[in-house]
């Protein structure tokens, strides 16, 4: 197994009395798309800034691409910050090329690359436009392109989807999957679970600066009990005694909600129905979603979300 | 270093693309050219001949004034002829009377030509400044001032025009003289003897001329009345012992204070102005540049690629390059215009014309022979770095230009002091005020630039330079620290105490 692209070990960042990130440890394998989930003010941006060495952690160590200094490997890292902004008077291609040169590309190569990217992502007509003339979505796309123009092997995207319309959200997803297809590592933060669910190989959920979960989406979903909804006119008393069932409750629409123990097989419920002559009029099984997991894990925190 | 250079290059290129930059590049040479050319043009064409009338109740002075006006016009025409010859494009007929140094033997030429000596092909004599014309009909030449003023009022107020050579012309002024002018030294009621009426109060040339003519005549008469010979008196009045300035610090035989010495004394002031303008011209650019990146959060992308130190150095270098380019163009255009104006004028002729054109040569000599230039370069650089570091650090703590402007107010006030002091320091370059101010690092570059030509004590030169060097280093170091923190900060600008804390950690 190759070394992880990123490793955080007991990282803490305090601002006076306020702890923005508290004893955070995680590991991002090379070539994986890693979701960084959490409510507003959870410490996502602070963590990403520390990874990039924009700010220094109060304690703990961070290893990026095998180096303890992100600046030492800056040419291999791409970064899209949460708040998007561009130099208003610069042309779209010039900004992309400028940021690429700051990552170590030669000026000539950076210019060619800028035009190529703008063409590939449908902005060829705007290459010569000043960024102040671009719409918000286009501007954001230009910024994403600027972040990946030097073809970094490790890309950090802070809220890449915010402010994009559905079409451009799809383009953003494409960009991420393109990067993964070429074996690059991507970390992105979001609080929109649908994106995380579709894109992430692994994810971490943090709230109030603490890590609440770290693993694959599948592992995340397994944290919640699986539920089956059963609609029947027969008595369901026999099901209560099944070892796989942890609880049964009635729902508003007259159906029964059966909660299964972890690792239980849904088929066992149907089988039991046959055995005990319970005739289902309706049977529905929903996998828990990341959304459910997220709300379950950070729900109370998210409501009283504090902001620095 | 490569990254700082990239930052600097972008700052330079982006600022150089702005209209404001090109406007400020062009505006200085444009103003300079205009301020030289416009008075010349006005002199040539602008001011028309001004017509005036005299009502002289005494009947004694009008001819005298007419004579003075005529003499003045002749002198101007002769001077113009000399200038014409000096420019070298005179006809063959004249060449016999031109000396090798391009001066005209006017007396010789005049003797040969007689009354027509001003009618030279290619030469146009300047039109007269003033012309005495006859009083309008109905105004008596011998009327008392009060009556004459009343009668002339429509012309004086521009309601009626004179008729000069059949053409209408406005009346510029009326000189009204009472029948009796005072013969004793006196002021008061009798001083109303000469009445000068004109709507134009700014141009006093005619009034001065009239006053001088009449008073000279009155004095002449008084001398006669006292039994003195006017010719003798004139002889006596011509006695004059010339005053020559000497500088005790110069070697024996070279003590005379000449043009070069005056330039040497005032050239530093020019450099001080240059530093001042340089700081101000880049202050705005520095602030805008930092605050744009901060408010757009571009700063985060930048800081993921470069260190705050590289960013700061790059910014300083890029914007300094812009400021210095501007300054360079200004200085170059100044030199070019001065050279152009003095082109084709030999130093001797220039000296004859008032010494103005000899200045470029003098300046060049001074710059070559003294260590003025290297000293200025050092003070300029240190002063420039000192203030730009300060401005950059302040800018980094602000989120909007508005916030930054209030900080700038303080810096502007701080910078006003050396400018105000500049009048006094060259007069006493090694006095208490100058010495004290030069030990205050923010003012060291300004004050020392002014003192450096006055041979200040070596202790002052080396001491203040060392202190300034240390302070500039400290300012840049501290700015780096404040910049590093300020640049990522959002919300209220920090309090002074907090800034000090940033410096410590």
């Amino acid at each position: 197994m190759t070394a992880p692209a990123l490793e955080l070990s007991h990282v803490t960042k305090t601002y006076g009395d306020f702890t923005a990130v508290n004893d955070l440890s995680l590991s991002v394998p090379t070539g994986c798309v890693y979701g960084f989930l959490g409510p507003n003010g959870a410490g996502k941006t602070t963590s990403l800034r520390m990874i990039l060495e924009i700010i220094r952690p109060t304690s703990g160590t961070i290893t990026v691409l095998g180096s303890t200094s992100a600046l030492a490997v800056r040419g291999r890292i791409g970064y899209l910050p949460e708040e998007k902004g561009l130099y208003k008077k610069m042309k779209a291609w010039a900004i992309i090329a400028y940021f690429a040169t700051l990552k170590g590309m030669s000026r000539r190569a950076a210019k060619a690359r800028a035009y190529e990217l703008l063409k590939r992502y449908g902005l060829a007509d705007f290459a010569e436009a000043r960024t102040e003339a671009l719409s918000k979505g286009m501007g954001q796309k230009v910024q994403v392109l600027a972040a990946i123009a030097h073809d970094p092997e490790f890309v950090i995207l802070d809220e890449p989807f915010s402010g994009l319309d559905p079409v451009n959200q799809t383009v953003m997803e494409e960009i991420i999957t393109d990067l993964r297809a070429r074996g690059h590592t991507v970390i992105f933060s979001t609080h929109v679970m649908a994106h995380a669910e579709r894109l992430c190989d692994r994810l971490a959920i943090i709230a109030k600066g603490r890590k609440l979960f770290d693993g694959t989406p599948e592992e995340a979903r397994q944290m919640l009990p699986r539920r089956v909804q059963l609609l029947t006119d027969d008595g369901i008393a026999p099901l209560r005694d099944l070892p796989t069932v942890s609880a049964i409750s009635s729902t508003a629409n007259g159906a029964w909600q059966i909660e299964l123990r972890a690792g239980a097989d849904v088929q066992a419920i149907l089988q039991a129905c046959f055995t005990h002559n319970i005739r289902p009029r309706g049977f529905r099984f929903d996998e828990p979603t990341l959304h459910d997991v997220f709300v379950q894990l950070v729900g109370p925190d998210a409501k009283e979300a504090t902001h620095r | 270093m490569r990254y700082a250079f990239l930052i600097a290059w972008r700052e330079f290129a982006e600022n150089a693309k702005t209209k404001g930059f090109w406007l400020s590049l062009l505006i200085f040479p444009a103003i300079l050219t205009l301020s030289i050319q416009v008075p010349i043009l006005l002199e040539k064409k602008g001011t028309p001949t001004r017509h005036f009338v005299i009502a002289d109740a005494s009947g004694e002075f009008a001819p005298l004034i007419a004579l003075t006006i005529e003499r003045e016009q002749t002198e101007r025409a002769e001077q113009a002829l000399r200038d014409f010859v000096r420019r070298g494009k005179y006809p063959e007929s004249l060449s016999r009377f031109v000396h090798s140094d391009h001066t005209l033997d006017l007396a010789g030429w005049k003797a040969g030509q007689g009354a027509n000596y001003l009618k030279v092909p290619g030469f146009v004599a300047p039109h007269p400044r003033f012309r005495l014309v006859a009083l309008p009909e109905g105004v008596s030449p011998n009327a008392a001032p009060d009556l004459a003023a009343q009668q002339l009022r429509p012309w004086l107020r521009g309601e009626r025009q004179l008729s000069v050579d059949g053409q209408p012309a406005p009346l510029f002024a009326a000189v009204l003289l009472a029948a009796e002018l005072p013969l004793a030294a006196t002021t008061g009621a009798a001083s109303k003897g000469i009445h000068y009426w004109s709507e134009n109060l700014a141009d006093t040339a005619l009034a001065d001329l009239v006053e001088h003519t009449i008073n000279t005549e009155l004095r002449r008469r008084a001398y006669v009345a006292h039994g003195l010979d006017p010719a003798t008196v004139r002889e006596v009045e011509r006695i004059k012992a010339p005053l020559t300035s000497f500088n005790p610090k110069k070697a024996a035989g070279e003590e005379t204070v000449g043009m070069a010495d005056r330039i040497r004394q005032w050239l530093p002031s020019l450099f001080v102005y240059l530093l001042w303008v340089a700081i101000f011209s880049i202050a705005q650019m520095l602030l805008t540049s930092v605050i744009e990146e901060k408010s757009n959060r571009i700063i985060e992308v930048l800081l993921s690629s470069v260190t705050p130190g590289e960013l700061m150095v790059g910014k300083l270098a890029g914007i300094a390059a812009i400021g210095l380019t501007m300054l360079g163009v200004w200085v170059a255009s100044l030199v070019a215009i001065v050279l152009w104006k003095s082109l084709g004028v030999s130093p001797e002729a220039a000296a004859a014309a008032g010494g103005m054109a000899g200045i470029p040569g003098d300046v060049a000599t001074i710059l070559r022979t003294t260590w003025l230039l290297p000293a200025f370069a050092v003070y300029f650089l240190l002063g420039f770095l000192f203030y730009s570091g300060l401005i950059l650090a302040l800018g980094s703590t602000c989120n909007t230009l508005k916030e930054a402007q209030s900080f700038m107010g303080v810096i502007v006030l701080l910078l006003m002091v050396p400018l105000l002091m500049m009048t006094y320091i060259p007069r006493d370059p090694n006095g208490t005020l100058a010495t004290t101010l030069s030990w205050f690092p923010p003012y060291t570059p300004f004050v020392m630039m002014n003192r450096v030509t006055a041979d200040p004590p070596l202790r002052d030169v080396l001491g203040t330079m060392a202190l300034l060097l240390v302070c500039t280093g400290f300012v840049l170091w501290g700015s780096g620290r404040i910049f590093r923190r300020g640049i990522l900060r959002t919300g209220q600008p920090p309090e002074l105490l907090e800034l000090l804390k940033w410096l410590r950690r």
Side-chain angles (χ1 to χ4, degrees):
Chain A
M1 197 183 152
T2 51
L6 169 71
E7 197 141 35
L8 269 71
S9 167
H10 305 290
V11 170
T12 298
K13 176 73 188 177
T14 56
Y15 291 98
D17 297 335
F18 176 73
T19 305
V21 174
N22 194 348
D23 196 29
L24 183 67
S25 295
L26 49 86
S27 174
V28 177
T30 298
C32 110
V33 173
Y34 195 93
F36 211 52
L37 316 184
N40 297 329
K44 289 173 295 187
T45 298
T46 307
S47 304
L48 295 182
R49 282 181 183 172
M50 283 191 289
I51 293 168
L52 287 156
E53 216 186 342
I54 295 173
I55 49 179
R56 299 234 164 83
T58 312
S59 63
T61 55
I62 299 172
T63 312
V64 188
L65 298 173
S67 162
T68 48
S69 159
L71 278 176
V73 289
R74 55 184 149 192
R76 296 157 66 195
I77 304 177
Y79 174 50
L80 174 74
E82 178 183 7
E83 284 170 80
K84 280 72 175 175
L86 296 163
Y87 293 109
K88 290 194 188 104
K89 301 282 175 200
M90 276 179 97
K91 290 173 178 174
W93 75 263
I95 282 204
I96 296 175
Y98 174 57
F99 284 133
T101 54
L102 284 184
K103 292 292 192 181
M105 274 180 102
S106 79
R107 220 177 287 199
R108 181 194 293 264
K111 185 174 179 179
R113 176 87 173 136
Y115 278 104
E116 179 203 323
L117 282 172
L118 285 166
K119 197 174 164 198
R120 190 194 308 165
Y121 291 102
L123 287 172
D125 293 344
F126 298 96
E128 300 294 335
R130 288 183 177 206
T131 61
E132 62 189 346
L134 300 180
S135 72
K136 195 181 166 208
M138 283 196 278
Q140 208 164 321
K141 247 158 105 177
V142 167
Q143 204 175 358
V144 175
L145 298 183
I148 60 166
H150 56 297
D151 199 24
E153 58 194 270
F154 182 38
V155 183
I156 295 176
L157 309 169
D158 201 354
E159 300 285 357
F161 297 102
S162 74
L164 291 179
D165 63 38
V167 176
N168 281 312
Q169 289 190 8
T170 316
V171 174
M172 188 70 233
E173 286 192 21
E174 266 172 39
I175 292 175
I176 293 176
T177 44
D178 280 356
L179 287 167
R180 171 169 50 194
R182 285 185 296 134
H184 295 338
T185 311
V186 179
I187 291 193
F188 71 92
S189 75
T190 185
H191 46 239
V192 181
M193 294 305 127
H195 298 301
E197 199 135 41
R198 276 200 294 277
L199 293 166
C200 291
D201 301 316
R202 291 184 70 84
L203 57 92
I205 297 176
I206 65 169
K208 282 192 164 176
R210 285 181 174 281
K211 185 173 79 174
L212 303 175
F213 170 81
D214 179 13
T216 64
E218 186 53 38
E219 285 165 356
R221 281 190 286 268
Q222 279 177 10
M223 289 179 74
L224 286 192
R226 302 168 123 187
R227 294 193 184 93
V228 167
Q229 285 204 1
L230 178 66
L231 193 62
T232 179
D233 300 327
D234 303 318
I236 54 141
L239 296 181
R240 290 185 195 276
D241 299 333
L242 286 174
T244 51
V245 171
S246 64
I248 294 182
S249 54
S250 60
T251 65
N253 54 15
W256 298 100
Q257 175 156 296
I258 305 166
E259 282 193 13
L260 307 183
R261 288 189 202 282
D265 185 4
V266 181
Q267 297 299 325
I269 303 291
L270 276 177
Q271 214 156 11
C273 286
F274 277 117
T275 320
H276 299 286
N277 208 17
I278 299 168
R279 289 159 299 170
R281 280 203 288 125
F283 185 84
R284 209 177 97 192
F285 166 63
D286 292 316
E287 280 278 9
T289 60
L290 271 184
H291 184 91
D292 301 326
V293 178
F294 185 81
V295 170
Q296 177 81 19
L297 281 175
V298 307
D301 288 343
K303 274 182 200 152
E304 50 175 282
T306 49
H307 217 302
R308 248 187 307 123
Chain B
M1 226 27 240
R2 178 186 136 80
Y3 294 99
F5 173 75
L6 284 169
I7 304 261
W9 175 249
R10 196 203 75 89
E11 290 292 346
F12 184 84
E14 287 306 305
N15 275 304
K17 274 185 214 156
T18 58
K19 288 188 199 86
F21 174 73
W22 288 99
L23 267 181
S24 52
L25 269 195
L26 295 177
I27 205 137
F28 180 75
I31 288 176
L32 206 62
T33 314
L34 284 180
S35 63
I36 291 175
Q37 284 301 314
V38 167
I40 293 176
L41 279 179
L42 286 182
E43 182 72 19
K44 269 186 186 157
K45 305 201 175 84
T47 322
T49 299
R50 290 176 155 161
H51 299 96
F52 72 104
V53 295
I54 301 179
D56 184 3
S58 69
E60 293 169 21
F61 296 99
L64 270 177
I65 294 170
L67 199 68
T68 314
I69 296 282
E70 204 189 309
R71 200 182 298 141
E72 196 241 357
Q73 164 60 12
T74 310
E75 273 167 18
R76 283 181 66 233
E78 286 177 357
Q79 182 58 43
L81 183 64
R82 282 197 201 95
D83 289 343
F84 170 75
V85 169
R86 189 175 300 129
R87 281 196 291 273
K89 290 178 188 158
Y90 45 84
E92 269 303 306
S93 57
L94 220 73
S95 53
R96 219 156 41 84
F97 301 95
V98 179
H99 302 299
S100 59
D101 62 351
H102 299 288
T103 50
L104 175 67
D105 171 18
L106 190 67
W109 169 250
K110 215 166 158 180
Q113 294 295 306
N116 282 335
Y117 75 106
L118 285 173
K119 292 211 170 70
V120 174
F123 171 70
V124 183
H127 64 71
R129 283 207 295 170
F130 304 107
R131 181 167 168 197
L132 177 61
V133 294
L135 283 161
E137 236 167 88
V139 183
S140 158
N142 299 322
D146 293 340
L147 178 65
Q150 203 183 345
Q151 288 173 330
L152 282 168
R153 200 168 283 267
W155 285 273
L156 284 168
R157 295 172 66 152
E159 289 155 13
R160 295 189 62 178
Q161 300 255 308
L162 297 169
S163 175
V164 180
D165 304 335
Q167 299 284 325
L171 178 61
F172 173 72
V175 177
L176 312 178
L177 303 174
E180 293 286 324
L181 289 171
L183 283 177
T186 170
T187 52
S191 70
K192 291 187 79 179
I194 312 169
H195 293 214
Y196 178 82
W197 288 77
S198 178
E199 281 191 336
N200 187 332
L201 297 175
D203 189 347
T204 59
L206 180 60
D208 294 343
L209 200 136
V210 166
E211 189 185 17
H212 182 252
T213 309
I214 293 176
N215 282 316
T216 310
E217 173 61 12
L218 288 178
R219 277 185 213 123
R220 192 191 65 82
R221 289 181 190 179
Y223 290 135
V224 176
H226 282 85
L228 296 165
D229 174 21
T232 313
V233 170
R234 218 166 20 243
E235 208 58 36
V236 171
E237 278 175 348
R238 269 204 207 120
I239 296 175
K240 191 188 179 216
L243 182 141
T244 319
S245 303
F246 293 94
N247 188 338
K249 286 199 176 149
K250 292 285 224 34
E254 290 175 11
E255 299 100 329
T256 328
V257 177
M259 195 62 187
D261 295 279
R262 287 190 209 291
I263 297 171
R264 186 191 298 266
Q265 202 166 6
W266 291 106
L267 196 64
S269 302
L270 180 74
F271 280 88
V272 171
Y273 271 117
L274 283 182
L275 174 58
W276 207 80
V277 170
I279 290 171
F280 268 86
S281 61
I282 64 141
Q284 192 65 24
M285 283 188 262
L286 272 177
L287 285 180
T288 327
S289 153
V290 176
I291 287 168
E292 182 188 17
E293 282 167 6
K294 225 189 136 178
S295 60
N296 276 349
R297 311 304 296 161
I298 299 168
I299 200 73
E300 280 191 53
V301 184
L302 290 176
L303 289 182
S304 72
S305 310
V306 299
T307 62
E310 287 168 333
L311 182 60
M312 194 173 114
V313 170
K315 271 197 179 307
L316 273 183
I319 291 178
I322 275 281
L324 296 181
T325 305
M326 208 170 336
L327 220 59
V329 170
W330 290 355
V331 172
S333 62
L334 178 73
V335 171
I337 287 171
V338 169
L339 285 179
W340 168 56
K341 290 317 292 182
S342 59
L343 207 68
V345 180
S346 68
E348 299 81 30
M356 282 303 288
I359 288 176
D362 282 344
V363 172
T365 316
I366 291 173
L367 293 182
R368 244 197 346 264
T369 54
T370 64
W371 54 293
L372 218 56
L373 211 54
F376 284 143
V378 171
Y379 284 124
F380 189 93
L381 198 71
L382 288 178
F384 190 72
L385 283 178
F386 183 93
Y387 279 97
S388 14
L390 214 59
I391 291 167
L392 198 60
L394 288 181
S396 72
T397 63
C398 300
N399 295 307
T400 60
L401 263 185
K402 215 172 173 182
E403 277 172 16
Q405 298 294 6
S406 60
F407 280 124
M408 267 311 286
V410 181
I411 292 194
V412 171
L413 280 181
L414 197 69
L415 274 170
M416 283 311 291
V417 176
L419 212 59
L420 294 175
M421 288 297 143
M422 226 167 66
T423 348
Y424 304 106
I425 287 165
R427 281 186 207 157
D428 190 7
N430 292 316
T432 319
L433 178 74
T435 313
T436 314
L437 279 179
S438 52
W439 283 92
F440 184 53
Y443 298 150
T444 304
F446 296 102
V447 179
M448 284 312 283
M449 275 186 183
N450 261 322
R451 293 182 62 192
V452 88
T453 48
D455 300 324
L458 196 64
R459 173 183 50 121
D460 276 17
V461 176
L462 295 181
T464 57
M465 198 174 274
L467 186 64
L468 179 62
L469 200 66
V470 170
C471 276
T472 306
F474 177 76
V475 162
L476 288 179
W477 170 82
S479 298
R481 301 215 114 190
I482 292 177
F483 186 79
R484 188 185 305 254
R485 285 160 182 272
I487 202 85
L488 279 172
R489 186 191 164 102
T490 51
Q492 282 286 310
E495 304 282 327
L496 192 65
L497 256 175
E498 207 179 341
L499 277 183
L500 291 178
K501 239 191 258 168
W502 289 2
L503 281 182
R504 272 197 290 129
R505 276 187 298 174

